[in-house]
Amino acid sequence: MTLCLQVALRLRSRAPVHLASRHVHKLSSLRKATSLPPKKMQSLLYPFSGLEAFLDRSVDRMPFQLFHPSVEDMMEAEKLFCSSPSHRIDYYVSAERMDHVPALKQPEVCFIGRSNVGKSSLIKALFSLTPEVEVRVSKTPGHTKKMNFFKVGKAFTLVDMPGYGHRAPRDFVDMVEPYLYTRENLARTFLLVDGSVGLQKADRIALEMCEETRCPYVMVVTKIDKCGQGALLTNLLNLQDVIKTQTSSCFPQPFLISSVNYWGIHLLRCFIAHVTGSISLKETSKS
């Protein structure tokens, strides 16, 4: 029996966590996920594992598995995304300019991406264990017009940035670029790319902006449930080539995400907890 399955069986035997009465996706909790068949649970927690069989043997898998925490580590990280009287998770404030941005000392992560890339849906999925947190999701591209700050207790702050590209705010660059250059407590920027269409021209401009700031950032591949495996692999390998050859501040591993099926959500929660210094991990790479 693998270590992953042993941990999963132990988790199943523990008492269930009581979540808020509002609707919570059945797979948003890791304890629920451990009830899945082993292969489905593996693909849910580590989405790249479901694509490995379709890759040519010559493709180096290591860059896709640099961050590979244990199920126990993911369980520890999940606690941070559950609100409690001593650890409140809530929307804090919105800002249109840097002089409106709150002066916070705790580590911060921000999410940027093209309009309609699924940014707000991803943040909503990350906070799904605390459904009372209001993350507005719209079918209309460019819905987010301000920098929206969410406080996760005293652990870290998460910032939802306006989308760029179609229907982006006219002052997007004036709003976002100063933040990326001057925010001293910014621990990581997450740059979202639509996995169903791959890296677009607007994404490359955003990537160049992240490179110019020289702050560490991560590529997140969204909507991996929206396309076939062939198209996804093509887009993913093209993105990986860009990361390898054209970036210096980007984490080598792109994170694969489906906010609909919750693929990769638990892994991303764990990475956020890790880079903000909120938890200490026992294992971070696949041996």
Side-chain angles (χ1 to χ4, degrees):
M1 184 182 294
T2 66
L3 177 61
C4 186
L5 285 177
Q6 290 174 5
V7 172
L9 289 172
R10 290 206 301 272
L11 292 175
R12 290 181 195 180
S13 65
R14 295 178 185 175
V17 175
H18 295 287
L19 301 174
S21 58
R22 293 177 61 179
H23 176 70
V24 176
H25 192 281
K26 62 181 180 181
L27 296 178
S28 62
S29 167
L30 194 50
R31 285 191 177 87
K32 294 286 187 180
T34 58
S35 65
L36 294 171
K39 284 188 177 180
K40 287 190 175 182
M41 187 182 80
Q42 183 79 2
S43 294
L44 174 77
L45 301 184
Y46 312 100
F48 178 74
S49 64
L51 298 174
E52 280 194 85
F54 301 94
L55 283 175
D56 188 271
R57 291 183 179 180
S58 63
V59 177
D60 183 11
R61 272 99 167 134
M62 185 53 66
F64 298 100
Q65 301 171 124
L66 291 172
F67 186 76
H68 198 277
S70 67
V71 178
E72 287 180 312
D73 283 332
M74 284 194 250
M75 276 299 304
E76 194 65 27
E78 185 174 282
K79 295 176 183 177
L80 288 167
F81 291 85
C82 298
S83 191
S84 69
S86 60
H87 178 75
R88 290 193 61 188
I89 302 173
D90 207 354
Y91 162 78
Y92 184 58
V93 73
S94 295
E96 292 184 348
R97 299 190 304 273
M98 277 304 294
D99 54 357
H100 295 163
V101 168
L104 300 170
K105 293 183 179 180
Q106 60 197 43
E108 206 157 87
V109 295
C110 75
F111 287 73
I112 65 174
R114 193 163 49 86
S115 298
N116 205 33
V117 74
K119 182 163 46 63
S120 295
S121 294
L122 170 56
I123 294 173
K124 190 176 182 70
L126 290 171
F127 286 146
S128 57
L129 296 171
T130 308
E132 63 269 23
V133 175
E134 291 290 340
V135 182
R136 295 184 179 181
V137 178
S138 174
K139 293 182 179 179
T140 305
H143 177 75
T144 304
K145 300 294 186 183
K146 301 177 181 179
M147 296 179 279
N148 298 318
F149 292 73
F150 297 86
K151 291 189 72 174
V152 182
K154 296 180 180 179
F156 60 89
T157 307
L158 187 151
V159 188
D160 181 9
M161 300 297 238
Y164 54 78
H166 180 63
R167 294 179 63 87
R170 292 182 180 180
D171 54 352
F172 171 82
V173 174
D174 294 336
M175 188 187 306
V176 176
E177 197 169 55
Y179 171 88
L180 295 179
Y181 269 105
T182 64
R183 195 65 167 170
E184 293 183 356
N185 59 330
L186 181 61
R188 204 65 98 244
T189 295
F190 292 88
L191 176 56
L192 277 56
V193 174
D194 188 333
S196 65
V197 299
L199 202 64
Q200 302 291 293
K201 182 178 179 180
D203 298 322
R204 290 181 177 274
I205 294 172
L207 187 148
E208 290 172 4
M209 181 172 65
C210 289
E211 281 292 312
E212 288 174 0
T213 66
R214 296 185 179 181
C215 293
Y217 66 101
V218 184
M219 304 294 284
V220 177
V221 182
T222 63
K223 301 185 180 182
I224 63 172
D225 57 295
K226 299 294 185 183
C227 61
Q229 290 171 323
L232 176 59
L233 275 173
T234 298
N235 293 333
L236 181 61
L237 292 176
N238 288 339
L239 176 63
Q240 182 62 31
D241 184 61
V242 170
I243 293 174
K244 182 178 179 180
T245 61
Q246 300 179 30
T247 71
S248 59
S249 302
C250 186
F251 187 65
Q253 176 181 334
F255 284 77
L256 306 179
I257 293 291
S258 167
S259 300
V260 175
N261 298 325
Y262 276 69
W263 299 335
I265 294 296
H266 304 86
L267 184 66
L268 188 58
R269 282 178 183 153
C270 194
F271 187 77
I272 293 170
H274 172 59
V275 297
T276 56
S278 303
I279 63 171
S280 297
L281 302 181
K282 300 178 181 65
E283 182 62 50
T284 59
S285 64
K286 189 175 182 180
S287 58

